[in-house]
Amino acid sequence: MRPSAHFVPSSRYSRRSSDEVELSRTEGDASSGSERRISASRHRTPADVSKKTGGFAITLAIYCTLLVLPSELVIVGPLRSNGSPVRLLGLAGAIMLLLAFMRWGARVAFRQVSYLIVGYLALAFLIWGIANRHGLGPDEVADLDRQLLLTVSATGAALLASATALSLRRVHLLAGALVAGGVVTSVVGLLQAIGAIEAWADVVSLPFTTTVVSSGGIGSRGDLPRVSGTAAHPIEFAVSIALLIPLAIHLATQATTRLGRRAAWTALLILLVAFPFGVSRAGMVALVVGLLVYAVFLTAQQRFRLLIAGIAAMASAYVFAPAVVGTLIDTVTGSTEDGSVQARLNDYPVAVARVALSPWLGGAPVNENLRLNVLDNQWLLTLVTSGILGVVSLVILWGGGATWAARTALSAQSGSMNRSFNGALAATLVAAAVSAGTFDYLAFQQVTFLTFLLLGLVGSYRRQEFARIGLRSAASR
């Protein structure tokens, strides 16, 4: 039965501009030629959306600005934190896609991972509705609304990327934009580490912008300055860089031009140099997990090279920056004596008691003391506030995305660009899920958007592999 909705997975529908012309030329049966032609007005594809509405321009703007503009910088006006340029662009993308769905007879093709994104969004609306029935105060309602708008904006950006990144060139352009943004936040972090600048928001502020929360700046841990780059907090800075490193390795080894490979290697070096200055356990967890998972999708030779490069990097750091290495080691080994860690562990029974009161639907927003002392853990925070239903939504987000990326990678030839790219995406999503157990992940704009923007690229090569099958299937309708 033909579905009434206009949500078409792109493994069945592909670009019409060149592929359909090729199909009509190679299959020149005049008697059935008219049946093979697909009306552009009835079968509107992502190419049409991209060209006629500027959808890809908005997508590219989101990918380019996410890690460049500070999270706390917003446009002056009543929107406050919702006036962040990245959030506004994401909302514009969501509205654009909604209008495309509402248009009679229009078709917009998406990669199949978009079903996961839509499922997560649906659960977010359900959880929001349930939470609003708990008799919340104005501040709690505002907090829920902000979180929902952030989710709508991030999912809109991911779906727009899925619908407008039509070619492998565009996919890699978006991936390169994220890595370039990582270079910007890394350079800002290094400048903060040497005392050249403090808050990035003060440097890039304009007459029509302001900040609604305190700007990320410079702190310290041990003998090392602790910087935030363009992020709101050093933890977010370190985790963002860690998530981008597998993607940077992919670009450095798989770029099709010498210039592209050199640029990616340079970017990777800058990311690695800046990463330690976040001085974050969550960042180190994300980096180790990401590299271990990415190695699964590499050839034996590539794994050996990655191992040698890792040993060389650690040895160089120990020789040229022993203070940095010592601080990072103390950060990990000293966690058992860290007062903040112990306070959270001691207060976990409070969180468990809250979950027992409403295990399936949660207990809505928690008081500030419980949030600060216990719930510096996104999984536990979600379990307390949204119950098992909320945890399921996180499994859909991270687990489903990583599974689909891994499935796409493993179906490709060993050593191929497809395997490397989707393997890198799977690695970043697994690393994000694990690091979310160490801080309140979804409270930070950059890492939240980064997760969705990477998710929007999952399965890119799969659409290309089934392009001709999709054209034949569409033509037969």
Side-chain angles (χ1 to χ4, degrees):
M1 180 180 294
R2 188 173 183 175
S4 58
H6 304 299
F7 189 83
V8 184
S10 62
S11 61
R12 297 187 61 193
Y13 291 88
S14 59
R15 285 185 304 169
R16 302 184 66 257
S17 55
S18 59
D19 295 336
E20 188 179 356
V21 171
E22 179 185 355
L23 179 63
S24 62
R25 286 179 179 175
T26 56
E27 299 180 3
D29 185 354
S31 61
S32 58
S34 59
E35 296 178 1
R36 286 194 300 270
R37 297 190 188 95
I38 305 175
S39 171
S41 62
R42 294 189 59 190
H43 298 284
R44 188 176 184 181
T45 66
D48 298 317
V49 173
S50 177
K51 292 178 180 178
K52 296 184 179 181
T53 65
F56 184 71
I58 295 177
T59 303
L60 184 60
I62 295 172
Y63 278 73
C64 287
T65 59
L66 173 62
L67 298 174
V68 174
L69 296 179
S71 302
E72 64 272 18
L73 192 71
V74 300
I75 297 174
V76 174
L79 295 176
R80 296 185 61 78
S81 62
N82 295 313
S84 164
V86 171
R87 293 197 193 190
L88 293 177
L89 287 170
L91 289 172
I95 293 172
M96 179 183 299
L97 291 173
L98 180 61
L99 293 176
F101 277 118
M102 293 172 63
R103 179 173 176 176
W104 180 256
R107 283 185 180 272
V108 182
F110 294 86
R111 282 184 284 276
Q112 291 183 353
V113 72
S114 299
Y115 287 121
L116 298 176
I117 301 172
V118 172
Y120 177 81
L121 180 60
L123 283 176
F125 270 102
L126 177 61
I127 292 168
W128 173 81
I130 293 172
N132 272 286
R133 299 182 60 186
H134 290 175
L136 307 177
D139 293 340
E140 293 175 322
V141 170
D143 184 58
L144 278 174
D145 292 345
R146 281 193 297 270
Q147 189 62 41
L148 181 66
L149 285 173
L150 174 61
T151 301
V152 171
S153 179
T155 53
L159 290 171
L160 191 64
S162 178
T164 59
L166 309 174
S167 64
L168 300 184
R169 177 182 174 276
R170 284 188 172 185
V171 168
H172 279 90
L173 179 62
L174 296 179
L178 288 178
V179 173
V183 170
V184 172
T185 191
S186 296
V187 171
V188 172
L190 292 173
L191 292 175
Q192 291 173 335
I194 62 176
I197 62 174
E198 291 189 11
W200 180 238
D202 297 336
V203 176
V204 298
S205 63
L206 297 171
F208 55 86
T209 63
T210 186
T211 56
V212 292
V213 295
S214 58
S215 301
I218 307 171
S220 64
R221 175 171 281 179
D223 298 327
L224 199 65
R226 196 181 189 200
V227 304
S228 56
T230 67
H233 192 278
I235 294 177
E236 185 180 30
F237 170 77
V239 171
S240 296
I241 293 177
L243 297 182
L244 290 173
I245 285 176
L247 198 60
I249 295 175
H250 161 75
L251 294 175
T253 57
Q254 299 289 339
T256 56
T257 65
R258 179 178 297 179
L259 179 61
R261 290 191 295 274
R262 287 179 177 176
W265 278 115
T266 302
L268 178 60
L269 178 62
I270 295 173
L271 294 176
L272 291 172
V273 171
F275 171 77
F277 291 95
V279 198
S280 167
R281 285 183 289 265
M284 286 186 279
V285 168
L287 179 62
V288 171
V289 171
L291 291 178
L292 288 176
V293 175
Y294 183 50
V296 172
F297 303 97
L298 302 178
T299 63
Q301 185 179 33
Q302 289 171 332
R303 292 192 197 104
F304 179 74
R305 291 176 178 175
L306 181 63
L307 177 63
I308 295 300
I311 294 174
M314 290 187 289
S316 299
Y318 186 79
V319 171
F320 295 105
V324 174
V325 176
T327 301
L328 291 176
I329 292 175
D330 290 342
T331 299
V332 176
T333 59
S335 59
T336 56
E337 301 176 359
D338 190 318
S340 63
V341 173
Q342 292 303 313
R344 291 167 190 157
L345 293 176
N346 293 336
D347 289 339
Y348 267 32
V350 179
V352 173
R354 286 291 301 269
V355 173
L357 294 176
S358 181
W360 288 99
L361 302 178
V366 298
N367 62 66
E368 193 67 16
N369 183 62
L370 185 62
R371 182 189 296 274
L372 292 177
N373 292 337
V374 183
L375 301 179
D376 202 3
N377 175 329
Q378 186 60 55
W379 291 95
L380 185 57
L381 174 61
T382 301
L383 182 61
V384 171
T385 59
S386 305
I388 296 174
L389 183 63
V391 173
V392 169
S393 71
L394 294 185
V395 172
I396 290 175
L397 176 66
W398 285 312
T403 300
W404 186 253
R407 177 183 175 185
T408 305
L410 293 175
S411 66
Q413 182 179 0
S414 179
S416 66
M417 187 180 292
N418 178 353
R419 191 181 184 96
S420 174
F421 181 69
N422 280 284
L425 294 179
T428 59
L429 292 171
V430 172
V434 175
S435 65
T438 62
F439 74 114
D440 47 338
Y441 191 103
L442 297 180
F444 294 90
Q445 176 176 291
Q446 283 192 355
V447 288
T448 298
F449 263 84
L450 185 57
T451 295
F452 281 97
L453 296 187
L454 292 170
L455 193 60
L457 301 180
V458 169
S460 301
Y461 288 75
R462 196 173 185 87
R463 187 192 68 78
Q464 298 292 327
E465 292 168 0
F466 294 100
R468 290 187 60 82
I469 297 175
L471 281 172
R472 292 178 183 273
S473 176
S476 64
R477 290 183 180 273

